[in-house]
Amino acid sequence: MPTTQITESPVDSPRPTAPSTPLLLIMAAAVAFTAANLYYYQPLLPALRDGLALSDNLLSLVPFATQVGYAVAILFISPLGDIIPRRTLIAALSLLLTCALAMQASAGCALLLIAGTFLMGLGANITQQLIPLAASLSSPQQRGRVLGTLMSGLTLGILLSRVFSGSIAEHLGWRAVYWAAAAAALGWGLLLWRVLPSESTRTTTMRYPALITSMLTLFRQHALLRVSAMTGALWFAAFNAVWASLSLHLTSAPLNLDLQQAGLFGFAGMAGIIGAKASGRWVTSLGTWRTICLALMVLLAGTAVLWSFQYSLAGLVLGIVLIDLGVFAAQVPNQVRVFAIAPSAQSRLNAVYMLFYYLGASAGAIAGVHLMTTYGWQGIMALTAGLCTGAIFLHVAMRNTDPSVKPTST
């Protein structure tokens, strides 16, 4: 039976250049807020346990439901952006997110809290609609800068989420965190409905089951998608292995930091904002392949510093800065080249890419904690170095799949 190629009908719209600066900043702020919802629970776990009298098993379902909800949304909601105007889809997701956060805020039992958490993970898919939308509104020359700005917003949202939820809960209680987030979700939904452009009607007549299965076909057809997804999974697994185990290392002998002191290392993650913004500019001058090479070298250097100075606070801070610089500097050009594969399939391409990224993050975090408890910091660094090396090897070996690499003349 012959293989059916996916042919995408172009969206009937003027050739994009880039979103205006005010629109881009609004979208970046919306990405920051939406991503933050996935991390509010982290400082709240003790308060949730005591407030609802949750057992340890039920309490563990809160982060689990968050991750499952977000993964389900990546697989089954993200692709809808290719057949439904994203402005409409984002409005629906904003309403879902508002209701989910209100459910969490008013939950009187574990079932409602966990159900609300799962639905919140679904609603947080707004981020995975805004990023492809920004890419579709940008010319290839401007796409790196635009995505760099959005990734800076994503990084900032993750970093500030824990500070926001911890501070609000300390003074007003954990329910106030979710009520405030629900009000913000409603406000952002209304603002995005007002300012986001109305996309032209999609010309594809693809039904939903075919839309979902077409992601596998896209993965099979495009070597660049496979390489980008797998290398991204490797370096993000390394990133999460480090961060998942870092607090265990910092609070153990001989460093013996307390939790608040260990939490301050999160500010070193601000380097990710610099990496995302810088790589967005480098893409235009260096191309995606060379920018990723440079970023992966920085990531590997950060691993070497963390390995060599495991008991030096200054060395650990420098290593974390380099790790975050490298990861977010690699993320932007990787997404730029993925979105260029098939402009009318950008939501599905992003869904495939983010699914691999998500799986890499989960595997890295689980492996990191296991290795830390079994082999200590040396085991983490061996894993991280191996993952970084694997990403570099795959990236270099498949360099000819990247359109920014000019073929060698014979």
Side-chain angles (χ1 to χ4, degrees):
M1 184 175 179
T3 302
T4 302
Q5 298 287 315
I6 294 180
T7 57
E8 306 291 345
S9 300
V11 177
D12 183 20
S13 59
R15 188 175 184 85
T17 55
S20 66
T21 298
L23 176 58
L24 181 58
L25 292 177
I26 290 173
M27 294 174 76
V31 166
F33 162 76
T34 306
N37 286 283
L38 297 170
Y39 299 91
Y40 286 147
Y41 74 87
Q42 291 182 345
L44 304 181
L45 290 178
L48 294 173
R49 179 192 59 206
D50 298 339
L52 297 176
L54 302 180
S55 66
D56 288 342
N57 288 334
L58 287 175
L59 187 66
S60 67
L61 290 179
V62 174
F64 179 75
T66 302
Q67 302 301 322
V68 171
Y70 197 58
V72 169
I74 288 174
L75 269 177
F76 298 110
I77 297 179
S78 290
L80 289 172
D82 286 336
I83 60 174
I84 298 175
R86 295 187 186 98
R87 178 170 174 261
T88 302
L89 193 54
I90 288 170
L93 288 170
S94 298
L95 181 59
L96 173 61
L97 183 59
T98 301
C99 293
L101 290 165
M103 184 184 296
Q104 290 175 284
S106 59
C109 63
L111 180 61
L112 286 178
L113 175 68
I114 293 167
T117 302
F118 173 79
L119 293 174
M120 181 272 296
L122 295 180
N125 188 254
I126 292 170
T127 295
Q128 301 307 325
Q129 301 300 331
L130 285 170
I131 292 174
L133 175 59
S136 70
L137 295 173
S138 308
S139 66
Q141 294 76 20
Q142 294 294 324
R143 196 165 291 150
R145 178 184 66 83
V146 169
L147 292 182
T149 300
L150 262 64
M151 292 308 300
S152 298
L154 178 68
T155 307
L156 189 62
I158 293 172
L159 291 174
L160 296 182
S161 61
R162 303 174 184 92
V163 177
F164 170 82
S165 62
S167 300
I168 295 294
E170 180 70 23
H171 298 286
L172 300 175
W174 65 268
R175 294 184 188 275
V177 175
Y178 291 117
W179 282 123
L186 181 61
W188 275 109
L190 293 172
L191 178 61
L192 290 173
W193 175 257
R194 181 175 180 83
V195 303
L196 290 179
S198 298
E199 298 172 279
S200 301
T201 303
R202 303 296 200 269
T203 58
T204 180
T205 58
M206 188 178 294
R207 295 182 179 274
Y208 183 71
L211 183 77
I212 300 301
T213 57
S214 69
M215 290 191 293
L216 179 59
T217 307
L218 286 167
F219 185 76
R220 289 174 175 172
Q221 285 181 357
H222 300 287
L224 180 58
L225 177 59
R226 296 194 296 272
V227 172
S228 299
M230 289 187 285
T231 53
L234 287 171
W235 73 57
F236 210 52
F239 175 81
N240 278 272
V242 171
W243 275 104
S245 55
L246 181 62
S247 63
L248 296 174
H249 178 60
L250 294 172
T251 55
S252 302
L255 296 172
N256 293 321
L257 302 185
D258 59 35
L259 290 177
Q260 183 177 3
Q261 291 170 330
L264 293 176
F265 268 72
F267 285 105
M270 296 289 285
I273 299 175
I274 300 172
K277 289 294 292 181
S279 67
R281 295 190 297 267
W282 295 340
V283 165
T284 303
S285 57
L286 298 179
T288 54
W289 189 84
R290 290 182 178 85
T291 303
I292 293 173
C293 280
L294 179 61
L296 291 179
M297 290 298 105
V298 173
L299 177 59
L300 191 59
T303 303
V305 171
L306 290 176
W307 201 336
S308 302
F309 301 96
Q310 59 177 320
Y311 298 127
S312 165
L313 290 179
L316 290 171
V317 169
L318 176 59
I320 291 297
V321 167
L322 293 173
I323 289 280
D324 280 70
L325 271 173
V327 164
F328 287 97
Q331 165 79 334
V332 172
N334 213 25
Q335 283 192 298
V336 166
R337 63 183 188 175
V338 165
F339 284 132
I341 292 172
S344 58
Q346 287 177 337
S347 289
R348 279 167 287 164
L349 291 168
N350 187 60
V352 172
Y353 176 74
M354 290 307 302
L355 179 62
F356 272 78
Y357 225 63
Y358 175 87
L359 293 175
S362 301
I366 293 171
V369 173
H370 174 72
L371 286 173
M372 185 66 195
T373 56
T374 306
Y375 300 104
W377 191 247
Q378 298 292 321
I380 297 295
M381 290 300 98
L383 172 65
T384 304
L387 291 169
C388 293
T389 303
I392 292 171
F393 176 81
L394 181 59
H395 179 66
V396 173
M398 301 299 291
R399 69 189 303 271
N400 289 333
T401 64
D402 193 309
S404 70
V405 178
K406 296 180 181 180
T408 304
S409 57
T410 56

